[in-house]
Amino acid sequence: MSRLLLQKLQRLRRLSPGSERSLSSLPSAQVRKTFLDFFRDKHRHLVVPSAPVRPRGDPSLLFVNAGMNQFKPIFLGTVDPRSPMASYRRVANSQRCVRAGGKHNDLDDVGRDMYHHTFFEMLGNWSFGDYFKEEACQMAWSLLTEHYGIPPERLYVSYFGGDAASGLLADEETRNIWLDLGVPPARVLPFGLKDNFWEMGDTGPCGPCTEIHYDHIGGRDAARLVNADSPEVVEIWNLVFIQYNREADHSLRLLPQFSVDTGMGLERLVSILQGKRSNYDTDLFTPLLDAIHQRSGVGPYGGRTGEADAGQVDRAYRVVADHIRTLSVCIADGIHPGMSGAELVLRRILRRAVRFSVEVLKAPQGALASLVPTVVHILGDTNPDLTREADRIVDVINENEAHFLSSLQHGSRLIQRTVSRMGAAGSPFPASVAWSLHRDLGFPLDLVDLMLEERGVQVDRLELDRLISENQKMLLEQQAGVRPRLLPDVLSLAELQRSGVPNTDDTPKYRYQLEDGRYVFPACRATVLALYDGEALVPEVSEGQRCGVILDRTCFYSEQGGQSHDQGYLTRDGLQDVLYSVEAVTRAGGYVVHQITAADKLRTGDQVHLHLDQAHRLSCMAKHTATHILNFALRKVLGQSVQQRGSHISADRLRFDFSVKGSLSSSQLQQVETCVNDIISADQVVHSLEVPLQKARTIQGLRTVDEVYPDPVRVVSLQVPVSELLDGGTERETSVELCCGTHLLQTSTIQDLVIVSEKQLVKGISRIVAVTGQDAVQARDMGRVLSQEVDSLSARLSDSAPSSLGSAHHFSKEASTLSDSVDNTPIPQWQRRELQARLRAMLRAINTLIRKLETQQAAKNAEVLFQKNGKKELLVDCVETDSLSVLMKTVNQLSAATPLSHVMLLSHQKDSGKILCACQVPKESSTLPASDWAVAVCRQLGGSAGGSALVAKGTGSFGDIKEALRWAEDFARQKTKR
């Protein structure tokens, strides 16, 4: 303790009156730099760059949400020994983090208070088997009080106070360290598992933590406000001491290597050092708030919350400032607003920001994206990708904002109209309208709740949950082909023709174009020509009735040619705020039938507007064009004998069946992928033209499938115009097919293609499943991560082959778990095959070693039992082993040495608490079959057993093993009369 006391006295001398430095004007960039310099220069830490906010190969996370995420392989022991990370001992960094979705989700709280954020920076320092509690606490206290100049009397520390139920004692070691550093005992406070014991998950590394808290007021005893969610006393820094491993049975084992993992939010630290009570009043946000004011139609930011914030203007300022930071960082790191996972969360964030910007702050369209240069100015120095990607970030935000604004205006009118018709105050908002906003206009349900909250109403939550459940059931039924399609029957079709109802003009489905790199789908207006209620044509349908709607024209693609139908909704003239969701689109006798459940009355003759789900359509277009390229690439790699045998295109993936002698090799899969992606990268133009069927069949290299084509027929080709192919004036090899589907206009929109599955359906027919775009990028990322984990396991096996059964079983379990991940994670199929082969070989080698070690252990056990018991005709005893296989092998070896002995061994399995049983009897033993003996003993122990007359085994759930041995021996003696 003398060293700690000396350090304490030195610090007191440095902090004598007149020597204390005030850093209240320290800029945020300097705060970050001071942190990193302190650990690098004074404490020999390696400063590593921030990982991207898109997790690399961790499907349990939507976003990187803590500084430790990139170091999980070290904590879990899976780091590749050949990687630079394997050499890390002391590390520091400032990690970009997003908490919006999943376990850690601050999205709904952003704007309501002064300190929640979806994006933030986490300052952290780590020790991997190097220093531990004493040094970590000393460094933290020194940095905060000496280098940042925070008055020690404003600080409180918490530590783990123990948990009797878990058998964990209080962390008195940490408490004493803080006392030795000079923290008064009244400011060193114990807390339980919830606040001061950190765990990575249900299993894995964990340990006690100590937190440093700051009192914004000062000059008082604020101990009662620590960990009380008070804005006056806030946590600054969390120091986690990782010393245990949480096992599957919830027990704790000490780790062979202790580590330190700390995290301190930059935004909160800056607010303290700049003397602010709100993170939004620091230089990380004030330039953004000023820029928002310049673009808005409201007064300047006033920092108000709750009821004082009239019209929620200040809340909107905070939401927009926070969300534009998140959007900029995520897009720069490769996450774009989309339809699932992290992309869907980012879409919610963007739509939330747009609504607050336009509706509350009265800012014009484009104002949100115009804030990106301010974000770059604030964060660009430490995020170089922000600077490089600034123009693309602006384009992505503007494009998504334009899509949402039309829906937002429509949704706001729908909500207002519904609220005005609700009648009595306190009535719940209709769930059907809320669900329509979500399903048809793409409103996140939390955004619907927010808009209703502003109007003082709440949705009928029970009914909304029922609609969500019903929708999920309907989707499953449609996928299984159970839900009936409302297709007019033969009599109704004949009636339509007799009445002179013309076939549906669906050519508008092809009328889209590229403008400034963005696909534009023109508006479509139509007339209701017929309604089919499932039994007959009817003049009108009422609210809630399912029906098929036939229009004079449509821009919706009907399900055909393997491509999924379009999604979207209809609105009726005079009732623009009521949405008729289109559930399916099919064809019958030249008519396109839109299946809906009527949201209000609908009559023949009504004028309607068609609203296409553009994101869904564009995704299908990308998959369909990719399917043509895949067809071409397969023939190029495998030869012209390859014939298409079927395909299916949906928004999330494509499926392609084709003729081939056997399954493709890994090399062939790689060649096909390379060929496809070369065409995608070349940004080839996609041409299409409707021509007479007979003329189309003359095109050289034309690919067709066995189906009836219309005449005239649509021809789709890549790079070479269809007219040039018809003239026969080119010998260029390209993809050319007869196809009625909707396609991209240029191939680069596909971005990337990865084959995630390839297997033989039947002899001679193979099926490929592939993903494109960001799904393909993620599949490659996952493939790289799993490959690194297999490399790491292989290297660890090579460096130190397991010498004990415990370590061999650990390796076997790790290889099996990794094998499951390789089997079930979307990764390139060629890579899956290679990793599966390597893992199978590893498992074979490990299992061979396990059998060898089991035999060796059984021989040792048998030798000990022989020395103890000699050669008895009845040998009943116990051994120490957790393995039923070892127990059985021991019995076998004893019986082999003494063929006339009746042998039974029991063992207490430590992890499960069960009692293992194995026995063997001589061939001549007619009075005591082994199976009867084992069954009787295991029943006595509350378990079960099985086997043959000669050998048997089983397990018991409970009981005293000594009593069980006595009972087993008595049972055998009674049966054998010995």
Side-chain angles (χ1 to χ4, degrees), residues 478 483-489 493 496 503-506 509 532 546-551 554 556-561 563-567 582-596:
Q478 285 181 347
R483 193 171 177 85
R485 298 294 176 88
L486 286 170
L487 281 175
D489 57 22
L493 289 171
L496 286 171
N503 288 346
T504 310
D505 173 16
D506 64 348
K509 68 188 178 187
Y532 179 72
R546 290 183 74 227
C547 67
V549 182
I550 296 174
L551 308 171
T554 183
F556 279 62
Y557 184 85
S558 56
E559 189 157 339
Q560 56 184 321
Q563 180 176 329
S564 297
H565 63 78
D566 278 335
Q567 296 179 358
V582 176
E583 299 164 0
V585 189
T586 50
R587 299 180 71 85
Y591 299 103
V592 175
V593 184
H594 307 74
Q595 180 178 304
I596 69 166

Side-chain angles (χ1 to χ4, degrees), residues 1 4 133-134 137 157-162 169-191 196 208-211 241:
M1 291 299 172
L4 276 173
K133 295 179 181 180
E134 182 177 323
C137 293
V157 295
S158 64
Y159 69 97
F160 179 55
L169 300 176
D171 187 6
E172 292 293 335
E173 180 185 1
T174 297
R175 178 179 183 273
N176 290 330
I177 289 170
W178 288 122
L179 295 176
D180 289 338
L181 285 168
V183 183
R187 292 171 182 261
V188 184
L189 309 170
F191 289 89
N196 280 82
C209 62
T210 183
E211 298 168 336
F241 305 128

Side-chain angles (χ1 to χ4, degrees), residues 67 225 229 296 326 427 429 532 539 606:
L225 298 178
D229 290 328
S296 72
T326 305
S427 299
F429 188 84
Y532 179 72
D606 281 345

Side-chain angles (χ1 to χ4, degrees), residues 116-144:
H116 274 101
H117 304 291
T118 51
F119 164 76
F120 63 96
E121 288 185 65
M122 184 72 85
L123 303 170
N125 62 288
W126 289 267
S127 163
F128 306 112
D130 192 335
Y131 60 83
F132 201 45
K133 295 179 181 180
E134 182 177 323
E135 295 90 338
C137 293
Q138 287 175 1
M139 292 174 195
W141 195 254
S142 171
L143 177 62
L144 292 179

Side-chain angles (χ1 to χ4, degrees), residues 34-95:
T34 298
F35 180 90
L36 298 175
D37 289 350
F38 173 82
F39 282 102
R40 179 183 56 219
D41 300 340
K42 293 186 175 297
H43 297 286
R44 307 185 315 281
H45 284 62
L46 173 69
V47 174
V48 299
S50 169
V53 294
R54 176 189 284 278
R56 296 304 184 195
D58 189 345
S60 67
L61 293 176
L62 290 174
F63 303 94
V64 166
N65 58 23
M68 58 77 61
N69 288 164
Q70 69 169 305
F71 306 118
K72 278 176 74 172
I74 300 179
F75 293 126
L76 295 173
T78 60
V79 65
D80 188 334
R82 297 167 298 178
S83 73
M85 191 178 288
S87 64
Y88 288 176
R89 292 296 174 266
R90 299 182 176 212
V91 171
N93 85 338
S94 179
Q95 173 63 51

Side-chain angles (χ1 to χ4, degrees), residues 804-806 808-809 847 849-863 865 878-895 903-907 909 916-920 952-953:
S804 70
L805 263 178
H809 280 296
N847 289 336
L849 180 59
I850 286 174
R851 288 192 295 272
K852 179 181 176 183
L853 291 170
E854 285 178 344
T855 301
Q856 291 173 354
Q857 183 62 53
K860 291 179 182 177
N861 292 342
E863 181 62 30
L865 289 168
C878 63
V879 294
E880 285 191 18
T881 180
D882 284 339
S883 169
L884 186 56
S885 178
V886 169
L887 196 66
M888 198 72 232
K889 283 183 169 68
T890 306
V891 168
N892 293 155
Q893 292 198 24
L894 288 169
S895 295
V903 180
M904 174 174 280
L905 298 179
L906 302 182
S907 176
Q909 198 172 42
L916 308 179
C917 171
C919 66
Q920 186 166 338
K953 58 186 176 181

